[in-house]
């Protein structure tokens, strides 16, 4: 067989072919390589083709696909002149079956599909913008090149823009769901195979062929569709602090290609077939004067909102409510999975055939399971969260081919919640939050008689004093990391001084204090934090 690749290009110099009746055949799905966004589907088909030129219509391919990705393998003596895709073959090739009512359905379908495509493009662009914001250290105020005075403006912009984009994406998803339901209803009206037991999709690939003899020919057709997705998902089980973590590595697959995948060989890949592979080229960077923004000048006088960013672990919940609402059909096939680690991505080849219907529901497939050696510590930052969290530090985690994903936590046989695994972090260990432990209590209270406000020589001087009280109500010793902070000045007229830190380790750049605490059973320890802020008495600091 020979391999041909098409990009919906029809050679104009070919002789005009006689209008003969098309040959119809049905595709059988053979293999699916599922990406985070999109799927590469491979079908086989057979047909008796005549001598000379002919038109072969391969039915039951995906309802939506990228026409430029169509690849065809045909017998060596068969020439494939062109290949194209359509989801409305009745309208384009069987005009005699058209009726005014059917024409209205087809026009409505074309309009809805156009609207859905625009929404898909808009959502993809806004999701990429969120990832760009999240990956931009300057926007989060972490880059050395950002001045302290600009941190409030940068933080406000980052927060406002991210919330705006997330709200917009939620609205787009609702509209996409409504359009998808409407398109499904219209497609049902165009289905000419409703009398058959097996429901066929509306997608068809049309091949223009040339053969020297009449023969039965076998074809293999592949293409990429955006109507499928998969996400990594984990389950973490720990029986006790001295035992390793048992990790179950899963993939959640869903698809709406219009084809039920039956007995298909599955491959799950971390690659992205839609990603641009063009390396960036820098252009000249020109500076120019612009008009000053009054709001920006006012913002520079505001102190930044103090935040504690954990360098041990971060509890994050995925904004995938639609996935959580899906019914899950779980299957354990981990013993049939082979992992291939390539230069650019990781893929999981599942050798056993698998069935996934085209209903959009998430199907959970077990990919791997293994035990992880972990060191445990408790963590708390009571200024922003009054809970104490158990954190597992996993070393040498790169060898497990982990991907970014959400995880369920089961500790001592009880489900305790969700956490987030991010193997792309830069720490030496992978820090995973295993849930909060209510048997260790923390309290942060302001000491009134040690906190005061004075007016000295035109300045306001405020002293803030807090006691942080930790108590271990467990029967065993607990190792704990305690963090707090004091504010950073963004204006030379604002002076900040740390008065008392109870022997904490102090980061002079971030003003974050860290205590490494060892608590015996039923032991209570108290740590004091005190700082002074001095600024002109006619000025106001809104977030002090």
């Amino acid at each position: 067989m020979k391999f041909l690749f098409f990009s919906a290009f029809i050679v104009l110099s070919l002789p005009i072919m006689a209008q003969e009746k098309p040959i119809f055949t049905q595709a059988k799905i053979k293999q699916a390589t599922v990406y985070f966004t999109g799927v590469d589907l491979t079908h086989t088909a057979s047909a008796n083709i005549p001598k000379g030129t002919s038109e072969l219509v391969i039915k039951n391919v995906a309802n939506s696909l990228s026409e430029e990705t169509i690849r065809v393998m045909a017998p060596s003596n068969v020439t494939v002149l062109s290949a194209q895709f359509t989801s409305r073959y009745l309208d384009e090739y069987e005009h005699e079956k058209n009726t005014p009512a059917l024409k209205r359905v087809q026009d409505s379908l074309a309009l809805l599909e156009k609207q859905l495509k625009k929404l898909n493009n808009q959502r993809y662009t806004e999701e990429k913008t969120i990832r760009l914001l999240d990956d931009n250290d300057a926007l989060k105020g972490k880059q050395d090149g950002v001045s302290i005075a600009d941190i409030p403006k940068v933080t406000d912009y980052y927060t406002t823009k991210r919330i705006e984009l997330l709200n917009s994406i939620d609205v787009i998803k609702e509209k996409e769901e409504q359009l998808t339901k409407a398109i499904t209803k219209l497609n049902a009206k165009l289905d000419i195979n409703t009398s058959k037991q097996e429901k066929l999709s509306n997608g068809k690939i049309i091949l223009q062929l040339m053969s020297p003899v009449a023969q039965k020919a076998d074809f293999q057709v592949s293409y990429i569709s955006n109507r499928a997705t998969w996400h990594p998902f984990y389950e973490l089980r720990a029986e006790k602090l001295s035992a390793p973590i048992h990790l179950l590595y899963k993939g959640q697959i869903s698809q709406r290609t219009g084809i039920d995948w039956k007995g298909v060989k599955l491959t799950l890949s971390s690659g992205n077939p839609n990603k641009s592979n063009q390396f960036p080229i820098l252009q000249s960077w020109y500076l120019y004067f612009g008009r000053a923004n009054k709001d920006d000048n006012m913002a520079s006088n505001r102190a930044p909102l103090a935040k504690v960013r954990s360098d041990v672990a971060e509890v994050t919940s995925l904004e995938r409510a639609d996935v959580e609402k899906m019914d899950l059909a779980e299957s354990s096939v981990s013993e049939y999975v082979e992992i291939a680690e390539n230069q650019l991505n990781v893929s999981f080849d599942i050798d056993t055939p698998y069935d996934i219907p085209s209903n959009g529901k998430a199907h959970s497939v077990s990919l791997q399971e293994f035990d992880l050696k972990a060191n445990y510590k408790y963590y708390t930052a009571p200024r922003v969260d009054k809970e104490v969290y158990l954190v597992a530090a996993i070393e040498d985690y790169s060898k497990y081919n982990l991907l970014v994903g959400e995880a369920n936590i089961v500790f001592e046989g009880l489900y305790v919640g969700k956490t987030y695994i991010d193997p792309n972090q830069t720490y030496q260990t992978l820090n995973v939050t295993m849930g909060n432990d209510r048997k260790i209590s923390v309290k942060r209270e302001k000491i009134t008689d040690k906190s005061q406000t004075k007016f000295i020589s035109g300045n306001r001087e405020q002293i803030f004093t807090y006691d942080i009280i930790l108590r271990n109500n467990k029967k065993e010793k607990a190792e704990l990391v305690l963090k707090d902070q004091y504010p950073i000045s963004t204006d030379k007229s604002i002076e900040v001084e740390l008065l008392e830190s109870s022997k904490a380790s102090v980061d002079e750049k971030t003003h974050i204090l860290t205590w490494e605490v060892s608590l015996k059973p039923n032991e209570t320890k108290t740590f004091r934090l005190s700082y002074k802020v001095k600024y002109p008495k006619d000025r106001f600091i809104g977030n002090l």
Side-chain angles (χ1 to χ4, degrees):
M1 301 183 80
K2 57 185 178 181
F3 178 84
L4 297 98
F5 183 88
F6 293 92
S7 59
F9 177 74
I10 301 177
V11 181
L12 298 178
S13 61
L14 294 174
I16 299 176
M17 295 179 290
Q19 296 297 320
E20 297 182 357
K21 186 176 181 180
I23 304 165
F24 290 87
T25 187
Q26 184 171 323
K28 295 181 180 179
I29 188 166
K30 177 181 178 183
Q31 184 174 353
T33 299
V34 189
Y35 302 95
F36 288 160
T37 304
V39 59
D40 192 335
L41 293 176
T42 299
H43 301 263
T44 58
S46 298
N48 294 313
I49 59 175
K51 178 181 178 180
T53 59
S54 60
E55 179 178 275
L56 176 63
V57 180
I58 301 177
K59 302 184 294 182
N60 203 35
V61 299
N63 287 331
S64 174
L65 60 87
S66 299
E67 196 171 42
E68 65 272 12
T69 66
I70 297 175
R71 309 176 303 278
V72 180
M73 291 185 68
S76 57
N77 64 342
V78 174
T79 301
V80 182
L81 303 175
S82 68
Q84 60 183 129
F85 166 77
T86 181
S87 60
R88 296 184 297 135
Y89 190 83
L90 286 176
D91 183 29
E92 298 178 12
Y93 297 93
E94 296 184 8
H95 299 283
E96 68 275 10
K97 294 187 179 181
N98 282 344
T99 63
L102 185 59
K103 184 66 167 59
R104 287 195 295 272
V105 173
Q106 293 165 346
D107 292 342
S108 299
L109 184 61
L111 178 62
L112 293 181
E113 287 178 340
K114 186 176 181 180
Q115 293 175 355
L116 182 59
K117 186 176 182 180
K118 289 182 178 180
L119 287 174
N120 289 336
N121 293 337
Q122 183 180 351
R123 177 167 58 85
Y124 177 77
T125 301
E126 294 189 0
E127 288 173 346
K128 292 286 287 185
T129 303
I130 289 178
R131 286 196 288 271
L132 180 63
L133 289 173
D134 291 344
D135 293 340
N136 193 321
D137 288 341
L139 287 177
K140 292 180 283 188
K142 298 195 304 180
Q143 191 167 330
D144 293 338
V146 177
S147 65
I148 293 180
D150 289 335
I151 291 180
K153 295 181 288 184
V154 172
T155 302
D156 289 345
Y157 172 80
Y158 171 77
T159 304
T160 303
K161 190 64 178 177
R162 200 176 193 280
I163 293 175
E164 176 187 328
L165 290 170
L166 288 173
N167 291 337
S168 176
I169 290 172
D170 288 340
V171 174
I172 293 172
K173 286 181 177 179
E174 292 179 4
K175 292 181 180 179
E176 286 178 329
E177 185 176 355
Q178 295 172 358
L179 286 176
T180 300
K181 290 180 179 178
I183 289 173
T184 301
K185 291 181 180 179
L186 291 177
N187 277 326
K189 296 181 180 180
L190 296 179
D191 190 1
I192 62 174
N193 300 289
T194 53
S195 60
K196 297 183 180 181
Q197 185 175 1
E198 181 182 359
K199 188 180 185 303
L200 302 181
S201 70
N202 295 307
K204 297 173 180 67
I205 290 179
I206 305 165
L207 303 180
Q208 302 295 338
L209 306 174
M210 182 179 293
S211 175
V213 294
Q215 60 178 308
K216 181 179 180 179
D218 295 325
F219 299 88
Q220 181 172 296
V221 180
S222 302
Y223 55 84
I224 292 177
S225 171
N226 64 351
R227 297 292 179 87
T229 183
W230 85 279
H231 304 288
F233 192 83
Y234 303 91
E235 184 175 295
L236 302 175
R237 290 182 174 270
E239 296 301 325
K240 52 186 177 180
L241 297 184
S242 59
I245 297 175
H246 185 74
L247 182 143
L248 182 59
Y249 199 157
K250 300 180 180 181
Q252 287 187 342
I253 310 169
S254 62
Q255 63 103 354
R256 292 183 181 272
T257 60
I259 313 165
D260 289 337
W261 301 354
K262 295 183 178 180
V264 173
K265 184 180 184 300
L266 280 177
T267 297
L268 306 184
S269 174
S270 64
N272 182 2
N274 300 312
K275 185 180 184 299
S276 172
N277 290 312
Q278 180 63 42
F279 67 89
I281 299 175
L282 292 176
Q283 303 293 335
S284 300
W285 182 3
Y286 299 100
L287 297 180
Y288 58 91
F289 287 104
R291 181 177 299 176
N293 191 325
K294 293 183 179 180
D295 293 336
D296 290 344
N297 293 333
M298 293 175 62
S300 65
N301 294 323
R302 297 197 301 264
L305 178 63
K307 295 173 62 182
V308 171
R309 182 175 178 85
S310 165
D311 61 355
V312 178
E314 196 171 333
V315 181
T316 309
S317 61
L318 289 181
E319 294 154 340
R320 291 181 186 149
D322 54 333
V323 173
E324 292 180 356
K325 294 177 183 177
M326 294 177 179
D327 296 330
L328 300 183
E330 180 169 343
S331 173
S332 178
V333 294
S334 57
E335 63 270 25
Y336 299 103
V337 177
E338 181 179 345
I339 301 176
E341 186 176 1
N342 304 317
Q343 289 289 336
L344 301 178
N345 54 65
V346 177
S347 61
F348 301 88
D349 297 324
I350 304 174
D351 290 332
T352 185
Y354 207 79
D355 293 352
I356 298 182
S358 178
N359 56 12
K361 293 184 178 181
H363 293 258
S364 182
V365 180
S366 295
L367 302 177
Q368 270 189 305
E369 52 184 308
F370 37 73
D371 290 331
L372 303 173
K373 184 179 179 181
N375 296 317
Y376 293 93
K377 272 194 177 182
Y378 291 94
Y379 172 86
T380 184
R383 183 180 180 275
V384 292
D385 192 334
K386 299 300 190 294
E387 301 286 352
V388 176
Y389 294 91
L390 177 63
V391 177
I394 302 170
E395 297 181 356
D396 198 19
Y397 58 89
S398 59
K399 66 181 181 181
Y400 299 112
N401 296 304
L402 301 178
L403 300 171
V404 175
E406 196 175 22
N408 285 333
I409 307 170
V410 179
F411 191 74
E412 295 179 340
L414 297 175
Y415 174 77
V416 296
K418 296 182 181 293
T419 188
Y420 194 66
I421 292 179
D422 183 6
N424 297 327
Q425 62 184 5
T426 58
Y427 303 117
Q428 294 292 331
T429 58
L430 175 63
N431 299 302
V432 179
T433 305
M434 300 295 292
N436 61 311
D437 193 332
R438 298 187 183 276
K439 292 183 180 180
I440 302 178
S441 59
V442 59
K443 183 178 181 182
R444 185 180 191 266
E445 58 183 9
K446 187 175 182 179
I447 308 303
T448 306
D449 59 348
K450 297 293 183 180
S451 302
Q452 59 181 341
T453 300
K454 297 187 296 184
F455 296 91
I456 303 174
S457 301
N459 290 319
R460 185 195 307 263
E461 187 178 280
Q462 290 183 270
I463 295 177
F464 300 86
T465 304
Y466 297 89
D467 275 351
I468 304 170
I469 305 167
L470 293 172
R471 177 171 176 78
N472 181 15
N473 298 309
K474 301 169 70 71
K475 296 180 181 179
E476 60 271 0
K477 184 174 69 172
E479 302 294 333
L480 186 141
V481 175
L482 168 65
K483 285 186 177 287
D484 211 303
Q485 65 183 154
Y486 64 103
I488 302 173
S489 172
T490 60
D491 192 295
K492 62 182 181 180
S493 63
I494 302 175
E495 298 178 12
V496 179
E497 180 184 353
L498 179 63
L499 302 177
E500 187 173 353
S501 63
S502 296
K503 299 181 180 180
S505 173
V506 182
D507 188 321
E508 298 297 337
K509 184 177 180 181
T510 64
H511 286 192
I512 292 178
L513 292 80
T514 304
W515 292 268
E516 298 279 349
V517 184
S518 180
L519 289 174
K520 297 177 182 178
N522 298 316
E523 183 180 12
T524 300
K525 288 187 177 181
T526 302
F527 302 88
R528 175 160 292 185
L529 166 64
S530 181
Y531 57 88
K532 179 174 66 176
V533 181
K534 181 180 177 182
Y535 56 96
K537 66 179 182 180
D538 58 342
R539 305 291 292 274
F540 172 73
I541 300 178
N543 61 334
L544 186 58

